[in-house]
Amino acid sequence: MTRRTLYLARHGEADALGTLTERGREQSRRLGRRLAEFPIDVIWHSPLPRAEASAGLVAGSLPRVLVDEAPELIDHIPVVPEMTSLTPTWAAFFDGYGAEEAASGERIARSLTERFTRPNVVGARSTHEVLITHAYPVAWMVREALGAPPESWLSLAGMPNTGLTVLEYDEGPTVVQCVGDLSHLVGLGHVEDEVEPE
């Protein structure tokens, strides 16, 4: 049976300008060492500098693996929920978010799903792909894997920096191996310090 395994991770910690901090660089190096135990075929990354830099550091432990940009992994709001269903904090977050911006986010979310959530073609070999992206796209992919309603991505929006999520696609239901796992950061600091806003 052919299987497509995705290893999704939010980029390493970055400063307000989107540049990786020293902590973010170390998080990324540790993620790379963890992923070195798997037969990784490719590392895809968001076009944003913090994700590209993280992918480069992860690749340091996977020296013969292709590293390439995937525009679908860009940071975006996948779906804007009904404002009446939101807590005051989330309602404030979405306040002023326009229809054009919302439609663009939904288009990106659809293209992300179409590109990465399908099993390999029958007869193809199994693949292992790393996706270095942002908190919201990871949340969207997990929501998709679980078949949850579109607005459910909000419940997963607090993905930690370099938290590892593993999804497996084949002919059956998608298997969610883990979500936001931080075991590769043991000794670097407290887990509660890893969850920060995008």
Side-chain angles (χ1 to χ4, degrees):
M1 174 189 328
T2 61
R3 177 175 292 136
R4 185 180 197 183
T5 304
L6 301 183
Y7 304 83
L8 297 98
R10 183 183 176 194
H11 58 80
E13 178 189 87
D15 63 23
L17 299 175
T19 302
L20 290 186
T21 63
E22 181 50 48
R23 180 183 181 84
R25 288 189 289 276
E26 180 59 21
Q27 290 169 331
S28 299
R29 285 188 288 266
R30 287 180 180 220
L31 176 62
R33 290 193 293 270
R34 179 171 182 190
L35 291 170
E37 67 186 77
F38 302 105
I40 303 300
D41 295 293
V42 62
I43 300 170
W44 300 106
H45 63 80
S46 156
L48 296 180
R50 59 190 182 267
E52 183 177 5
S54 295
L57 290 163
V58 166
S61 295
L62 305 162
R64 288 176 294 284
V65 172
L66 171 70
V67 179
D68 203 358
E69 181 178 300
E72 299 87 352
L73 295 174
I74 190 84
D75 195 13
H76 67 282
I77 302 291
V79 169
V80 177
E82 289 293 325
M83 299 299 277
T84 56
S85 69
L86 299 174
T87 65
T89 302
W90 276 113
F93 177 80
F94 288 111
D95 187 40
Y97 203 76
E100 187 176 315
E101 198 174 8
S104 174
E106 288 185 25
R107 280 192 302 275
I108 296 168
R110 271 195 310 276
S111 66
L112 174 65
T113 302
E114 289 168 6
R115 180 168 181 181
F116 289 108
T117 65
R118 303 289 183 257
N120 290 330
V121 177
V122 175
R125 69 180 183 83
S126 294
T127 59
H128 296 260
E129 303 167 61
V130 175
L131 280 60
I132 304 296
T133 184
H134 308 272
Y136 301 163
V138 175
W140 180 255
M141 295 284 280
V142 173
R143 180 223 59 85
E144 179 73 17
L146 297 173
E151 65 276 6
S152 299
W153 74 268
L154 286 172
S155 65
L156 298 160
M159 290 291 169
N161 292 111
T162 71
L164 184 62
T165 296
V166 181
L167 306 176
E168 292 183 352
Y169 300 90
D170 56 26
E171 292 83 5
T174 304
V175 175
V176 179
Q177 290 288 346
C178 64
V179 175
D181 183 74
L182 297 171
S183 60
H184 53 285
L185 300 183
V186 170
L188 185 60
H190 300 292
V191 169
E192 58 269 16
D193 293 339
E194 302 303 327
V195 181
E196 299 171 8
E198 206 43 58

